[in-house]
Amino acid sequence: MSPIKIFTALDYDNAQSALDFAAKVTPDQTGLKIGKELFTAAGPALVETLAARGFKIFLDLKFHDIPVTVAKALTAAASLGVYMFNVHCLGGPVMLQTAAEAVARLSQRPILIGVTVLTSMDAAQLQAVGVSAKLEDEVLRLARLAKESGLDGVVCSAREAQMLTDAIPAPFIKVTPGIRPQGAALNDQKRVMTPQEALKAGADYLVIGRPITQAPDPQAALQAINAQIGI
Ligand code: C5P
């Protein structure tokens, strides 16, 4: 069995739904992404419970604060047993370096990922917060900053993965949402890639939510995607 490539997004508002989902799948099929909604509703205990069941946990809390606060939040998160977590690159070089140094001091070192530009932002939204750079240029600038600051990689749109693969030397981990298996419903995603396309563009991990969590048989849905990508 190859290492997992998929993190299933547990976009639930309560612990029980997350636990019910986790009971239907296995840690060698998928990691689990816990974001702000579920973490705020269910708390750190759920993270510890799922990690103790052997699941790799991507704690998607996108920290963005003064450097010492981010470093302490990451240290606290690591003690829950998370496998991967993230910070906003817009926190700036000192915040990113302080975060990377704090993580490097941990005995069980999680993967530290940066968020570049949220895909909900477009040129007009960037202008409104004073960023006049082109969106792709801003993504690349922030990804380079992540690399120079000692982060392990970035979350990016699968559409940006190839550009980052070309521009930033390995090792540099790319985690990509916006993935839809061939024929799956798009839901509210507009520009999607298939799992195979995203991996070909250099993605290391795929974040997939509803095509798995809302499937009649989540285990079968995961098995089908893993088979498509040779896992
Ligand atoms: O259900 P779906 O596969 O669309 O879920 C994708 C997950 O990835 C959600 O948790 C969503 O918040 C997250 N995400 C995203 N696009 C981004 C960043 C995160 O869809 N640019």
Side-chain angles (χ1 to χ4, degrees):
M1 175 64 74
S2 318
I4 56 148
K5 288 284 176 197
I6 297 173
F7 279 87
T8 302
L10 299 182
D11 292 322
Y12 298 117
D13 63 6
N14 66 88
Q16 195 54 52
S17 298
L19 291 167
D20 289 347
F21 175 82
K24 294 179 191 152
V25 299
T26 61
D28 59 5
Q29 290 185 303
T30 184
L32 303 174
K33 180 175 90 76
I34 297 180
K36 287 190 171 101
E37 181 190 20
L38 181 58
F39 186 79
T40 304
L46 178 69
V47 178
E48 288 179 300
T49 300
L50 293 173
R53 291 189 191 169
F55 287 102
K56 289 188 166 134
I57 306 293
F58 172 18
L59 190 63
D60 181 21
L61 296 183
K62 302 184 179 71
F63 294 129
H64 185 175
D65 212 312
I66 59 171
V68 66
T69 301
V70 168
K72 287 181 175 176
L74 290 169
T75 303
S79 74
L80 304 176
V82 312
Y83 176 77
M84 180 158 74
F85 48 21
N86 56 9
V87 297
H88 265 289
C89 294
L90 280 172
V94 175
M95 190 201 88
L96 297 176
Q97 285 159 24
T98 308
E101 284 160 19
V103 172
R105 282 195 292 272
L106 299 169
S107 52
Q108 288 275 339
R109 188 190 176 293
I111 297 172
L112 178 61
I113 295 292
V115 175
T116 58
V117 181
L118 294 170
T119 46
S120 53
M121 300 289 279
D122 58 14
Q125 297 280 311
L126 281 178
Q127 278 280 346
V129 294
V131 177
S132 51
K134 268 179 55 190
L135 199 139
E136 291 77 37
D137 293 344
E138 182 69 2
V139 168
L140 191 51
R141 172 201 291 268
L142 291 171
R144 286 202 169 109
L145 181 63
K147 174 83 176 172
E148 288 159 11
S149 304
L151 273 64
D152 299 304
V154 289
V155 183
C156 64
S157 148
R159 302 265 164 188
E160 295 157 359
Q162 188 66 56
M163 168 181 78
L164 298 181
T165 301
D166 295 341
I168 300 185
F172 194 65
I173 292 173
K174 278 144 288 183
V175 182
T176 59
I179 304 293
R180 287 293 178 270
Q182 204 82 49
L186 292 186
N187 313 112
D188 52 2
Q189 299 280 11
K190 291 199 175 63
R191 300 194 312 132
V192 299
M193 279 179 130
T194 65
Q196 297 97 310
E197 285 169 339
L199 292 176
K200 194 157 171 277
D204 297 277
Y205 294 112
L206 313 174
V207 170
I208 310 179
R210 289 159 289 181
I212 298 168
T213 54
Q214 292 182 9
D217 182 345
Q219 178 146 52
L222 265 169
Q223 244 159 23
I225 302 171
N226 278 330
Q228 279 172 33
I229 58 178
I231 287 182

PDB file of all heavy atoms in Angstrom, residues 121-151:
ATOM      1  N   MET A 121     -10.468  34.926  -3.641  1.00  0.00           N
ATOM      2  CA  MET A 121     -10.019  36.276  -4.013  1.00  0.00           C
ATOM      3  C   MET A 121      -9.857  36.361  -5.539  1.00  0.00           C
ATOM      4  O   MET A 121      -9.344  35.435  -6.158  1.00  0.00           O
ATOM      5  CB  MET A 121      -8.653  36.588  -3.381  1.00  0.00           C
ATOM      6  CG  MET A 121      -8.618  36.539  -1.874  1.00  0.00           C
ATOM      7  SD  MET A 121      -9.486  37.892  -1.095  1.00  0.00           S
ATOM      8  CE  MET A 121      -8.276  39.209  -1.182  1.00  0.00           C
ATOM      9  N   ASP A 122     -10.276  37.505  -6.106  1.00  0.00           N
ATOM     10  CA  ASP A 122      -9.966  37.772  -7.511  1.00  0.00           C
ATOM     11  C   ASP A 122      -9.239  39.116  -7.577  1.00  0.00           C
ATOM     12  O   ASP A 122      -8.913  39.698  -6.531  1.00  0.00           O
ATOM     13  CB  ASP A 122     -11.239  37.755  -8.377  1.00  0.00           C
ATOM     14  CG  ASP A 122     -12.273  38.771  -7.893  1.00  0.00           C
ATOM     15  OD1 ASP A 122     -11.914  39.659  -7.079  1.00  0.00           O
ATOM     16  OD2 ASP A 122     -13.429  38.684  -8.322  1.00  0.00           O
ATOM     17  N   ALA A 123      -8.987  39.602  -8.794  1.00  0.00           N
ATOM     18  CA  ALA A 123      -8.200  40.834  -8.944  1.00  0.00           C
ATOM     19  C   ALA A 123      -8.844  41.991  -8.173  1.00  0.00           C
ATOM     20  O   ALA A 123      -8.152  42.766  -7.496  1.00  0.00           O
ATOM     21  CB  ALA A 123      -8.067  41.169 -10.425  1.00  0.00           C
ATOM     22  N   ALA A 124     -10.172  42.095  -8.239  1.00  0.00           N
ATOM     23  CA  ALA A 124     -10.860  43.215  -7.578  1.00  0.00           C
ATOM     24  C   ALA A 124     -10.719  43.114  -6.050  1.00  0.00           C
ATOM     25  O   ALA A 124     -10.505  44.127  -5.364  1.00  0.00           O
ATOM     26  CB  ALA A 124     -12.332  43.220  -7.972  1.00  0.00           C
ATOM     27  N   GLN A 125     -10.824  41.881  -5.532  1.00  0.00           N
ATOM     28  CA  GLN A 125     -10.685  41.690  -4.077  1.00  0.00           C
ATOM     29  C   GLN A 125      -9.266  42.025  -3.623  1.00  0.00           C
ATOM     30  O   GLN A 125      -9.065  42.617  -2.567  1.00  0.00           O
ATOM     31  CB  GLN A 125     -10.995  40.238  -3.707  1.00  0.00           C
ATOM     32  CG  GLN A 125     -12.407  39.790  -4.002  1.00  0.00           C
ATOM     33  CD  GLN A 125     -13.369  40.262  -2.934  1.00  0.00           C
ATOM     34  OE1 GLN A 125     -13.135  40.092  -1.747  1.00  0.00           O
ATOM     35  NE2 GLN A 125     -14.440  40.891  -3.355  1.00  0.00           N
ATOM     36  N   LEU A 126      -8.281  41.633  -4.438  1.00  0.00           N
ATOM     37  CA  LEU A 126      -6.887  41.944  -4.094  1.00  0.00           C
ATOM     38  C   LEU A 126      -6.661  43.459  -4.106  1.00  0.00           C
ATOM     39  O   LEU A 126      -6.043  44.010  -3.190  1.00  0.00           O
ATOM     40  CB  LEU A 126      -5.930  41.272  -5.088  1.00  0.00           C
ATOM     41  CG  LEU A 126      -5.652  39.784  -4.882  1.00  0.00           C
ATOM     42  CD1 LEU A 126      -4.730  39.267  -5.984  1.00  0.00           C
ATOM     43  CD2 LEU A 126      -5.016  39.518  -3.526  1.00  0.00           C
ATOM     44  N   GLN A 127      -7.189  44.124  -5.125  1.00  0.00           N
ATOM     45  CA  GLN A 127      -7.081  45.586  -5.207  1.00  0.00           C
ATOM     46  C   GLN A 127      -7.639  46.233  -3.946  1.00  0.00           C
ATOM     47  O   GLN A 127      -7.050  47.163  -3.395  1.00  0.00           O
ATOM     48  CB  GLN A 127      -7.899  46.113  -6.407  1.00  0.00           C
ATOM     49  CG  GLN A 127      -7.191  46.032  -7.740  1.00  0.00           C
ATOM     50  CD  GLN A 127      -6.207  47.187  -7.924  1.00  0.00           C
ATOM     51  OE1 GLN A 127      -6.233  48.158  -7.188  1.00  0.00           O
ATOM     52  NE2 GLN A 127      -5.309  47.054  -8.889  1.00  0.00           N
ATOM     53  N   ALA A 128      -8.769  45.725  -3.481  1.00  0.00           N
ATOM     54  CA  ALA A 128      -9.457  46.328  -2.334  1.00  0.00           C
ATOM     55  C   ALA A 128      -8.627  46.248  -1.062  1.00  0.00           C
ATOM     56  O   ALA A 128      -8.821  47.048  -0.138  1.00  0.00           O
ATOM     57  CB  ALA A 128     -10.818  45.656  -2.133  1.00  0.00           C
ATOM     58  N   VAL A 129      -7.709  45.281  -0.998  1.00  0.00           N
ATOM     59  CA  VAL A 129      -6.837  45.210   0.186  1.00  0.00           C
ATOM     60  C   VAL A 129      -5.425  45.703  -0.153  1.00  0.00           C
ATOM     61  O   VAL A 129      -4.462  45.406   0.557  1.00  0.00           O
ATOM     62  CB  VAL A 129      -6.805  43.793   0.812  1.00  0.00           C
ATOM     63  CG1 VAL A 129      -8.164  43.429   1.373  1.00  0.00           C
ATOM     64  CG2 VAL A 129      -6.337  42.735  -0.188  1.00  0.00           C
ATOM     65  N   GLY A 130      -5.319  46.452  -1.250  1.00  0.00           N
ATOM     66  CA  GLY A 130      -4.063  47.146  -1.548  1.00  0.00           C
ATOM     67  C   GLY A 130      -3.030  46.330  -2.288  1.00  0.00           C
ATOM     68  O   GLY A 130      -1.874  46.723  -2.358  1.00  0.00           O
ATOM     69  N   VAL A 131      -3.439  45.177  -2.845  1.00  0.00           N
ATOM     70  CA  VAL A 131      -2.474  44.363  -3.613  1.00  0.00           C
ATOM     71  C   VAL A 131      -2.735  44.595  -5.098  1.00  0.00           C
ATOM     72  O   VAL A 131      -3.792  44.219  -5.611  1.00  0.00           O
ATOM     73  CB  VAL A 131      -2.617  42.858  -3.270  1.00  0.00           C
ATOM     74  CG1 VAL A 131      -1.668  42.022  -4.129  1.00  0.00           C
ATOM     75  CG2 VAL A 131      -2.368  42.621  -1.796  1.00  0.00           C
ATOM     76  N   SER A 132      -1.771  45.238  -5.769  1.00  0.00           N
ATOM     77  CA  SER A 132      -2.002  45.553  -7.181  1.00  0.00           C
ATOM     78  C   SER A 132      -1.331  44.532  -8.110  1.00  0.00           C
ATOM     79  O   SER A 132      -1.507  44.584  -9.315  1.00  0.00           O
ATOM     80  CB  SER A 132      -1.499  46.963  -7.496  1.00  0.00           C
ATOM     81  OG  SER A 132      -0.173  47.087  -7.035  1.00  0.00           O
ATOM     82  N   ALA A 133      -0.586  43.593  -7.535  1.00  0.00           N
ATOM     83  CA  ALA A 133       0.065  42.564  -8.360  1.00  0.00           C
ATOM     84  C   ALA A 133      -0.991  41.687  -9.029  1.00  0.00           C
ATOM     85  O   ALA A 133      -2.115  41.558  -8.534  1.00  0.00           O
ATOM     86  CB  ALA A 133       0.969  41.695  -7.483  1.00  0.00           C
ATOM     87  N   LYS A 134      -0.608  41.075 -10.147  1.00  0.00           N
ATOM     88  CA  LYS A 134      -1.491  40.086 -10.778  1.00  0.00           C
ATOM     89  C   LYS A 134      -1.613  38.891  -9.842  1.00  0.00           C
ATOM     90  O   LYS A 134      -0.668  38.536  -9.140  1.00  0.00           O
ATOM     91  CB  LYS A 134      -0.877  39.617 -12.100  1.00  0.00           C
ATOM     92  CG  LYS A 134      -1.344  40.445 -13.300  1.00  0.00           C
ATOM     93  CD  LYS A 134      -0.687  39.973 -14.583  1.00  0.00           C
ATOM     94  CE  LYS A 134      -0.894  38.492 -14.841  1.00  0.00           C
ATOM     95  NZ  LYS A 134      -0.052  37.993 -15.958  1.00  0.00           N
ATOM     96  N   LEU A 135      -2.781  38.251  -9.880  1.00  0.00           N
ATOM     97  CA  LEU A 135      -3.038  37.164  -8.932  1.00  0.00           C
ATOM     98  C   LEU A 135      -1.964  36.079  -8.972  1.00  0.00           C
ATOM     99  O   LEU A 135      -1.434  35.678  -7.928  1.00  0.00           O
ATOM    100  CB  LEU A 135      -4.422  36.576  -9.228  1.00  0.00           C
ATOM    101  CG  LEU A 135      -5.036  35.781  -8.101  1.00  0.00           C
ATOM    102  CD1 LEU A 135      -6.520  36.086  -7.986  1.00  0.00           C
ATOM    103  CD2 LEU A 135      -4.838  34.291  -8.297  1.00  0.00           C
ATOM    104  N   GLU A 136      -1.597  35.635 -10.191  1.00  0.00           N
ATOM    105  CA  GLU A 136      -0.591  34.557 -10.289  1.00  0.00           C
ATOM    106  C   GLU A 136       0.756  35.022  -9.735  1.00  0.00           C
ATOM    107  O   GLU A 136       1.484  34.241  -9.117  1.00  0.00           O
ATOM    108  CB  GLU A 136      -0.380  34.101 -11.738  1.00  0.00           C
ATOM    109  CG  GLU A 136      -1.541  33.362 -12.351  1.00  0.00           C
ATOM    110  CD  GLU A 136      -2.655  34.303 -12.771  1.00  0.00           C
ATOM    111  OE1 GLU A 136      -2.337  35.422 -13.240  1.00  0.00           O
ATOM    112  OE2 GLU A 136      -3.835  33.952 -12.608  1.00  0.00           O
ATOM    113  N   ASP A 137       1.086  36.297  -9.977  1.00  0.00           N
ATOM    114  CA  ASP A 137       2.361  36.817  -9.473  1.00  0.00           C
ATOM    115  C   ASP A 137       2.357  36.851  -7.951  1.00  0.00           C
ATOM    116  O   ASP A 137       3.376  36.582  -7.303  1.00  0.00           O
ATOM    117  CB  ASP A 137       2.624  38.230 -10.027  1.00  0.00           C
ATOM    118  CG  ASP A 137       2.851  38.223 -11.534  1.00  0.00           C
ATOM    119  OD1 ASP A 137       3.105  37.124 -12.074  1.00  0.00           O
ATOM    120  OD2 ASP A 137       2.763  39.288 -12.156  1.00  0.00           O
ATOM    121  N   GLU A 138       1.205  37.195  -7.394  1.00  0.00           N
ATOM    122  CA  GLU A 138       1.098  37.248  -5.932  1.00  0.00           C
ATOM    123  C   GLU A 138       1.209  35.829  -5.338  1.00  0.00           C
ATOM    124  O   GLU A 138       1.879  35.620  -4.325  1.00  0.00           O
ATOM    125  CB  GLU A 138      -0.243  37.903  -5.552  1.00  0.00           C
ATOM    126  CG  GLU A 138      -0.480  38.076  -4.069  1.00  0.00           C
ATOM    127  CD  GLU A 138       0.419  39.120  -3.414  1.00  0.00           C
ATOM    128  OE1 GLU A 138       1.216  39.764  -4.111  1.00  0.00           O
ATOM    129  OE2 GLU A 138       0.325  39.253  -2.173  1.00  0.00           O
ATOM    130  N   VAL A 139       0.576  34.864  -5.991  1.00  0.00           N
ATOM    131  CA  VAL A 139       0.678  33.466  -5.536  1.00  0.00           C
ATOM    132  C   VAL A 139       2.142  33.028  -5.548  1.00  0.00           C
ATOM    133  O   VAL A 139       2.648  32.450  -4.579  1.00  0.00           O
ATOM    134  CB  VAL A 139      -0.184  32.528  -6.424  1.00  0.00           C
ATOM    135  CG1 VAL A 139       0.140  31.063  -6.149  1.00  0.00           C
ATOM    136  CG2 VAL A 139      -1.669  32.790  -6.204  1.00  0.00           C
ATOM    137  N   LEU A 140       2.825  33.327  -6.640  1.00  0.00           N
ATOM    138  CA  LEU A 140       4.221  32.910  -6.778  1.00  0.00           C
ATOM    139  C   LEU A 140       5.112  33.620  -5.745  1.00  0.00           C
ATOM    140  O   LEU A 140       5.979  33.004  -5.124  1.00  0.00           O
ATOM    141  CB  LEU A 140       4.693  33.220  -8.202  1.00  0.00           C
ATOM    142  CG  LEU A 140       6.027  32.637  -8.624  1.00  0.00           C
ATOM    143  CD1 LEU A 140       6.102  31.151  -8.348  1.00  0.00           C
ATOM    144  CD2 LEU A 140       6.251  32.904 -10.118  1.00  0.00           C
ATOM    145  N   ARG A 141       4.876  34.909  -5.556  1.00  0.00           N
ATOM    146  CA  ARG A 141       5.668  35.665  -4.572  1.00  0.00           C
ATOM    147  C   ARG A 141       5.506  35.044  -3.177  1.00  0.00           C
ATOM    148  O   ARG A 141       6.481  34.824  -2.457  1.00  0.00           O
ATOM    149  CB  ARG A 141       5.178  37.113  -4.538  1.00  0.00           C
ATOM    150  CG  ARG A 141       5.806  37.937  -3.413  1.00  0.00           C
ATOM    151  CD  ARG A 141       4.954  39.154  -3.084  1.00  0.00           C
ATOM    152  NE  ARG A 141       4.958  40.130  -4.155  1.00  0.00           N
ATOM    153  CZ  ARG A 141       5.819  41.161  -4.230  1.00  0.00           C
ATOM    154  NH1 ARG A 141       6.695  41.346  -3.271  1.00  0.00           N
ATOM    155  NH2 ARG A 141       5.770  41.987  -5.223  1.00  0.00           N
ATOM    156  N   LEU A 142       4.261  34.725  -2.814  1.00  0.00           N
ATOM    157  CA  LEU A 142       4.013  34.192  -1.468  1.00  0.00           C
ATOM    158  C   LEU A 142       4.536  32.759  -1.332  1.00  0.00           C
ATOM    159  O   LEU A 142       5.010  32.357  -0.271  1.00  0.00           O
ATOM    160  CB  LEU A 142       2.522  34.286  -1.132  1.00  0.00           C
ATOM    161  CG  LEU A 142       2.012  35.727  -0.945  1.00  0.00           C
ATOM    162  CD1 LEU A 142       0.486  35.767  -0.841  1.00  0.00           C
ATOM    163  CD2 LEU A 142       2.634  36.371   0.296  1.00  0.00           C
ATOM    164  N   ALA A 143       4.476  31.991  -2.419  1.00  0.00           N
ATOM    165  CA  ALA A 143       5.009  30.626  -2.370  1.00  0.00           C
ATOM    166  C   ALA A 143       6.535  30.668  -2.203  1.00  0.00           C
ATOM    167  O   ALA A 143       7.111  29.887  -1.438  1.00  0.00           O
ATOM    168  CB  ALA A 143       4.622  29.864  -3.630  1.00  0.00           C
ATOM    169  N   ARG A 144       7.183  31.585  -2.918  1.00  0.00           N
ATOM    170  CA  ARG A 144       8.644  31.723  -2.775  1.00  0.00           C
ATOM    171  C   ARG A 144       8.991  32.146  -1.352  1.00  0.00           C
ATOM    172  O   ARG A 144       9.963  31.671  -0.761  1.00  0.00           O
ATOM    173  CB  ARG A 144       9.180  32.767  -3.763  1.00  0.00           C
ATOM    174  CG  ARG A 144       9.212  32.265  -5.185  1.00  0.00           C
ATOM    175  CD  ARG A 144      10.210  33.077  -6.032  1.00  0.00           C
ATOM    176  NE  ARG A 144      10.432  32.444  -7.322  1.00  0.00           N
ATOM    177  CZ  ARG A 144       9.990  32.922  -8.482  1.00  0.00           C
ATOM    178  NH1 ARG A 144       9.321  34.059  -8.527  1.00  0.00           N
ATOM    179  NH2 ARG A 144      10.229  32.274  -9.602  1.00  0.00           N
ATOM    180  N   LEU A 145       8.193  33.063  -0.808  1.00  0.00           N
ATOM    181  CA  LEU A 145       8.412  33.514   0.571  1.00  0.00           C
ATOM    182  C   LEU A 145       8.284  32.332   1.543  1.00  0.00           C
ATOM    183  O   LEU A 145       9.076  32.197   2.483  1.00  0.00           O
ATOM    184  CB  LEU A 145       7.404  34.619   0.913  1.00  0.00           C
ATOM    185  CG  LEU A 145       7.502  35.219   2.304  1.00  0.00           C
ATOM    186  CD1 LEU A 145       8.847  35.907   2.510  1.00  0.00           C
ATOM    187  CD2 LEU A 145       6.355  36.218   2.524  1.00  0.00           C
ATOM    188  N   ALA A 146       7.301  31.466   1.290  1.00  0.00           N
ATOM    189  CA  ALA A 146       7.122  30.281   2.141  1.00  0.00           C
ATOM    190  C   ALA A 146       8.381  29.422   2.098  1.00  0.00           C
ATOM    191  O   ALA A 146       8.899  28.991   3.140  1.00  0.00           O
ATOM    192  CB  ALA A 146       5.900  29.484   1.676  1.00  0.00           C
ATOM    193  N   LYS A 147       8.878  29.178   0.888  1.00  0.00           N
ATOM    194  CA  LYS A 147      10.074  28.336   0.728  1.00  0.00           C
ATOM    195  C   LYS A 147      11.285  28.966   1.432  1.00  0.00           C
ATOM    196  O   LYS A 147      11.987  28.304   2.196  1.00  0.00           O
ATOM    197  CB  LYS A 147      10.361  28.177  -0.773  1.00  0.00           C
ATOM    198  CG  LYS A 147      11.649  27.455  -1.103  1.00  0.00           C
ATOM    199  CD  LYS A 147      11.476  25.961  -1.063  1.00  0.00           C
ATOM    200  CE  LYS A 147      12.748  25.238  -1.480  1.00  0.00           C
ATOM    201  NZ  LYS A 147      12.663  23.803  -1.270  1.00  0.00           N
ATOM    202  N   GLU A 148      11.493  30.272   1.193  1.00  0.00           N
ATOM    203  CA  GLU A 148      12.655  30.954   1.790  1.00  0.00           C
ATOM    204  C   GLU A 148      12.556  31.013   3.309  1.00  0.00           C
ATOM    205  O   GLU A 148      13.571  31.060   4.002  1.00  0.00           O
ATOM    206  CB  GLU A 148      12.739  32.401   1.258  1.00  0.00           C
ATOM    207  CG  GLU A 148      13.181  32.495  -0.182  1.00  0.00           C
ATOM    208  CD  GLU A 148      12.772  33.822  -0.837  1.00  0.00           C
ATOM    209  OE1 GLU A 148      12.340  34.744  -0.114  1.00  0.00           O
ATOM    210  OE2 GLU A 148      12.881  33.902  -2.072  1.00  0.00           O
ATOM    211  N   SER A 149      11.335  30.995   3.832  1.00  0.00           N
ATOM    212  CA  SER A 149      11.133  31.112   5.279  1.00  0.00           C
ATOM    213  C   SER A 149      11.218  29.773   6.001  1.00  0.00           C
ATOM    214  O   SER A 149      11.101  29.710   7.225  1.00  0.00           O
ATOM    215  CB  SER A 149       9.777  31.759   5.568  1.00  0.00           C
ATOM    216  OG  SER A 149       9.682  33.002   4.918  1.00  0.00           O
ATOM    217  N   GLY A 150      11.364  28.689   5.231  1.00  0.00           N
ATOM    218  CA  GLY A 150      11.535  27.388   5.865  1.00  0.00           C
ATOM    219  C   GLY A 150      10.272  26.558   5.972  1.00  0.00           C
ATOM    220  O   GLY A 150      10.251  25.534   6.662  1.00  0.00           O
ATOM    221  N   LEU A 151       9.179  26.985   5.289  1.00  0.00           N
ATOM    222  CA  LEU A 151       7.978  26.147   5.281  1.00  0.00           C
ATOM    223  C   LEU A 151       8.178  24.972   4.324  1.00  0.00           C
ATOM    224  O   LEU A 151       9.040  25.005   3.437  1.00  0.00           O
ATOM    225  CB  LEU A 151       6.754  26.982   4.852  1.00  0.00           C
ATOM    226  CG  LEU A 151       6.030  27.730   5.986  1.00  0.00           C
ATOM    227  CD1 LEU A 151       6.914  28.778   6.611  1.00  0.00           C
ATOM    228  CD2 LEU A 151       4.739  28.366   5.484  1.00  0.00           C
TER     229      LEU A 151
END
